[in-house]
Amino acid sequence: MANFKFPLLILFVLYFSQLHLLQFHHDFFSFFPVKIGLLIISILLYAYSSTRSKPVYLVDFSCHQPTDSCKISSETFFNMAKGAQLYTEETIQFMTRILNRSGLGDDTYAPRCMLTSPPTPSMFEARHEAELVIFGALNSLFKKTGVEPREVGIFIVNCSLFNPNPSLSSMIVNRYKLKTDVKTYNLSGMGCSAGAVSVDLATHLLKANPNTYAVIVSTENMTLSMYRGNDRSMLVPNCLFRVGGAAVLLSNRSQDRVRSKYELTQLVRTHKGASDKHYTCADQKEDDKGIVGVSLSRELTIVAGDTLKTNLTALGPLVLPSSEKLRFIISIVKSKLFRLKSSPYVPNFKLCFEHFCIHAGGRALLDAVEKGLGLSEVHLEPSRMTLHRFGNTSSSSLWYELAYIEAKCRVKHGDRVWQLAFGSGFKCNSIVWSALRTISASETLVGNPWGDSIHKYPVHVT
């Protein structure tokens, strides 16, 4: 978006500087209506540019890649489960079936305390994991962008299940010795959609704070969230979730447009927590033996589909071309007015976006979204490959998927990227970015977790 303020101010100065030369000129009154009209137009343009929301730019982002010593294969996972002496043989067999059908590969990452036999989770180990992931992503981000930590005015951290005191955002302030007036926020309990919630919060904060950088850190902590019981509804997260995190730099500074990768164009949030079925479908609680875990309802996929439908109803009018809007309206008229029995028309969102980043929550979720939206394997490739390579990294998975697309050199100037996130509550959030330039291969050398493995992908997932 062009910034009209400076040239308009110059126009004002030039106009008023000429008034004293013209005030006694014999042609003054003949030019007076033109001058007044020009002045009014200039004032209106200045007022419009002053009140219009500043664009939010995504300058760059980085995803953390743990060391090879933290890799956990299926064999290592099962050895850990057996060595823990916490699970029955039936439970281990159940987790084996889940993991074999999960779509995860053997190169995902786990915290170091899970790789010992038996596992040794503790507050100390949880802090170690948080520091490793968060500082790793931030150091990479600052290196890529050349921005100093003290230049950032807003820091937002989202981590759903690990919320120590002092907070994770305070941990960042202490590590980087940030200024005393830095604005920090710590989001918890928001589930896998918390990254999108953080972008929304950052956008509103940037509107109120001109010429500011905002950094978002999205992660989940696995050390203390591993379920140590035998309730089947709580065992799935053990099989799917893995270590990961991302740091994102946003800006509302007009001078950053040139170097930024994307501009935010739409953000739509949907929360259906008013429904008990939606609210309890992903519920952290104690099992019948008092062991804490996250229970996933059998209706999770149905709830996700219903919440997605509501989200798309709000997103569609903002992004769909007129032809798709018309077809959708006609289908509603047929079903509501004429009561004709027909399948509801699903708009073709492939006309709106070149790239899709669907939260890599699990194979069943991706299958349901692919079928429901009529997408192809190519559209779901970034999500499926992220699930295979890194597992479910919760709120940061959207950024591993975008990193995959960039590593494949697929992002061209003007491309539209749709990030779609699901989270407990139950929430479904959409973010739409527009690429400001073509992303070159050289830009994927730093902070891109696919740098050492992109040549191996895509792979066939059985």
Side-chain angles (χ1 to χ4, degrees), residues 145-337:
T145 61
V147 173
E148 295 294 329
R150 291 176 62 86
E151 295 181 69
V152 180
I154 300 166
F155 272 92
I156 301 171
V157 180
N158 65 262
C159 183
S160 193
L161 298 177
F162 180 58
N163 303 285
N165 185 16
S167 67
L168 297 176
S169 57
S170 293
M171 184 180 76
I172 293 174
V173 174
N174 178 259
R175 177 60 172 261
Y176 295 102
K177 310 304 177 188
L178 302 182
K179 297 182 296 183
T180 57
D181 61 348
V182 64
K183 296 175 175 61
T184 63
Y185 301 85
N186 211 91
L187 303 183
S188 63
M190 304 297 285
C192 299
S193 67
V197 176
S198 295
V199 173
D200 187 36
L201 175 59
T203 300
H204 284 84
L205 291 171
L206 287 172
K207 288 180 180 179
N209 296 272
N211 297 314
T212 304
Y213 285 123
V215 167
I216 296 170
V217 178
S218 293
T219 187
E220 189 52 84
N221 193 284
M222 304 307 304
T223 297
L224 295 180
S225 61
M226 182 180 71
Y227 175 58
R228 302 163 68 83
N230 292 278
D231 187 324
R232 289 194 174 190
S233 70
M234 298 182 175
L235 289 168
V236 175
N238 282 4
C239 302
L240 299 182
F241 282 85
R242 295 293 186 267
V243 170
V248 183
L249 178 65
L250 302 180
S251 172
N252 59 7
R253 309 187 332 156
S254 57
Q255 60 265 40
D256 283 324
R257 179 183 177 89
V258 177
R259 68 176 184 137
S260 295
K261 288 183 173 180
Y262 307 93
E263 179 180 343
L264 179 66
T265 59
Q266 302 293 343
L267 198 155
V268 176
R269 291 174 57 184
T270 301
H271 198 316
K272 304 204 71 171
S275 161
D276 290 343
K277 181 173 72 172
H278 292 70
Y279 177 70
T280 59
C281 73
D283 188 17
Q284 186 181 27
K285 60 183 182 181
E286 295 173 331
D287 64 12
D288 57 2
K289 294 186 178 180
I291 304 172
V292 177
V294 177
S295 175
L296 300 182
S297 167
R298 293 178 180 271
E299 298 181 314
L300 178 61
T301 303
I302 298 174
V303 165
D306 178 66
T307 312
L308 173 60
K309 180 180 178 181
T310 303
N311 185 265
L312 295 184
T313 301
L315 177 67
L318 303 175
V319 298
L320 287 170
S322 300
S323 58
E324 286 300 296
K325 293 177 185 177
L326 180 60
R327 291 188 180 96
F328 183 66
I329 292 173
I330 291 174
S331 71
I332 294 178
V333 171
K334 285 182 178 179
S335 61
K336 300 294 184 181
L337 188 61

Side-chain angles (χ1 to χ4, degrees), residues 114-132:
M114 287 181 61
L115 300 174
T116 60
S117 184
T120 56
S122 65
M123 177 61 75
F124 176 82
E125 287 295 331
R127 286 187 180 276
H128 175 269
E129 179 191 345
E131 292 174 356
L132 200 66

